[in-house]
Amino acid sequence: MAAVDVAGEFETIRRLLAPLAHPEWARGLKDDVAVVPSRPGHDLVLTKDVIVEGVHFLPDDPLDAVARKLMRVNLSDLAAKGAEPFGYLLACHWSGRCGWPERMTFVDGLRADQKTFGVALLGGDTVVTPGPASFSMTLLGWTPKGRTVGRDGARPGDLVYVTGAIGDGWLGLQAATDKLSLAPDRLAALIDHYRAPTPRLEFAAAIRDHASAALDVSDGLVADLGHVADASGVRIEIDLELTPRSAAAQAWYDGRVDEQAALEALVTGGDDYEIAFTARPGDEAALRREADRHHLRVTRLGRVVAGQGIEARFAGQPVAIARPGFTHG
């Protein structure tokens, strides 16, 4: 059904988006640019993600949840770089279902997460599209100069870790599309994770101080660790049995006959937005202390060795994974 009560572009900006704007740098969203002063001793870190209806969110997902997911997948990128976020640029491609009430709902989601994560809108653009709705965010953050953690720092002898649990994003999509049979509370937890993942910003300083390489798990744990292996010129080996699982994922896993196939599904599904990282063995104690301080689960999955690519093992034997993660083609 087509949306109703749609205001024009400038009314949308004035009434809905301007209240989200940074009080100084965004110029009230009345200019074509934002002006951000430099921060002495720091590097500016930027990331950009796009989410598209029917690809990254479902057509009937509430738009406040869509806004929160957009914010959080970008925040996850900054957390994995050890960065502190401060502001963002936003592009909204409103579809026919995005009337004034729906736009208000979208902004409600942004407002809630701005308060939670301490960021503000700097500028952007809004348009109407005849196609599916899509939204793009460019998030800006700071790291101390020269301290941004890349994908290329892993070295043989390093250990491989991941925060949180793996597989809830993929399982959450299955739950949201009525493809899982679990207890209602388990289904709700998985759907919540799919719609609003938790960026691990509280662990960003520990990543910056102790990780040799890091990235967030968006396309799938195997695929993303493969990116680290490629960028670092090393081989990464992980043990599938060590894959950390939430209570809901464990309930699903306990009902699987083929344990290897179930674990492969969890580590290739994507949409987890945890941090996968490598670190020198001597940094493990400090990492554990920081994780405990933030009540964050951190699991050691494997090791970095000489060679290339990534090797997943099950019961001590290499596993051939045909599709390591999600790709857009």
Side-chain angles (χ1 to χ4, degrees):
M1 180 181 296
V4 295
D5 298 328
V6 178
E9 172 190 5
F10 293 106
E11 189 173 3
T12 296
I13 293 170
R14 180 178 62 83
R15 292 176 58 187
L16 293 183
L17 298 175
L20 303 181
H22 192 281
E24 299 174 64
W25 305 335
R27 300 187 169 195
L29 301 188
K30 296 178 181 179
D31 207 334
D32 293 321
V33 299
V35 179
V36 180
S38 63
R39 185 175 178 183
H42 288 74
D43 291 325
L44 180 64
V45 182
L46 301 93
T47 186
K48 182 181 187 68
D49 270 301
V50 179
I51 61 173
V52 179
E53 185 176 34
V55 179
H56 304 95
F57 63 94
L58 300 173
D60 58 352
D61 279 348
L63 286 186
D64 54 342
V66 172
R68 294 172 71 207
K69 182 168 188 176
L70 177 66
M71 176 81 75
R72 289 165 183 238
V73 301
N74 278 278
L75 288 168
S76 179
D77 277 325
L78 288 192
K81 302 296 102 182
E84 171 195 350
F86 77 89
Y88 65 97
L89 301 170
L90 176 70
C92 299
H93 306 85
W94 308 110
S95 69
R97 74 152 165 144
C98 299
W100 188 255
E102 290 78 14
R103 296 184 191 194
M104 290 177 65
T105 299
F106 183 85
V107 168
D108 286 343
L110 289 178
R111 182 182 297 110
D113 270 5
Q114 282 196 182
K115 183 177 180 180
T116 297
F117 299 111
V119 296
L121 178 63
L122 298 173
D125 198 9
T126 73
V127 298
V128 174
T129 174
S134 65
F135 305 94
S136 172
M137 180 177 289
T138 300
L139 194 65
L140 294 80
W142 302 108
T143 57
K145 194 167 185 63
R147 299 277 304 281
T148 305
V149 181
R151 299 179 177 186
D152 59 351
R155 297 293 180 264
D158 286 358
L159 302 175
V160 181
Y161 303 87
V162 71
T163 62
I166 291 298
D168 281 12
W170 174 73
L171 286 172
L173 175 59
Q174 310 308 305
T177 51
D178 297 321
K179 295 177 182 177
L180 287 187
S181 178
L182 289 173
D185 60 326
R186 303 296 196 202
L187 293 174
L190 293 170
I191 292 171
D192 284 348
H193 178 90
Y194 172 70
R195 288 180 172 167
T198 301
R200 300 304 184 182
L201 289 168
E202 74 277 19
F203 206 57
I207 291 294
R208 189 172 64 240
D209 291 341
H210 302 292
S212 54
L215 80 178
D216 77 330
V217 181
S218 54
D219 295 332
L221 180 64
V222 171
D224 288 318
L225 283 174
H227 299 325
V228 172
D230 291 344
S232 298
V234 296
R235 182 177 184 82
I236 289 179
E237 298 177 350
I238 62 169
D239 299 312
L240 291 181
E241 294 99 323
L242 300 178
T243 304
R245 301 181 285 277
S246 67
Q250 186 64 47
W252 171 84
Y253 178 78
D254 288 342
R256 304 302 99 191
V257 175
D258 189 336
E259 295 181 359
Q260 177 182 324
L263 290 171
E264 288 183 34
L266 296 180
V267 299
T268 61
D271 253 7
D272 290 310
Y273 301 102
E274 297 292 349
I275 303 176
F277 64 97
T278 62
R280 318 295 187 227
D283 284 310
E284 181 164 28
L287 284 163
R288 296 286 182 198
R289 284 194 299 271
E290 281 301 296
D292 289 345
R293 188 165 74 87
H294 295 290
H295 308 288
L296 177 63
R297 183 180 186 179
V298 171
T299 303
R300 189 205 299 175
L301 291 171
R303 61 212 65 82
V304 180
V305 299
Q308 59 183 6
I310 182 166
E311 179 178 273
R313 293 173 172 264
F314 181 80
Q317 298 301 313
V319 172
I321 297 180
R323 181 183 176 275
F326 178 82
T327 64
H328 288 278

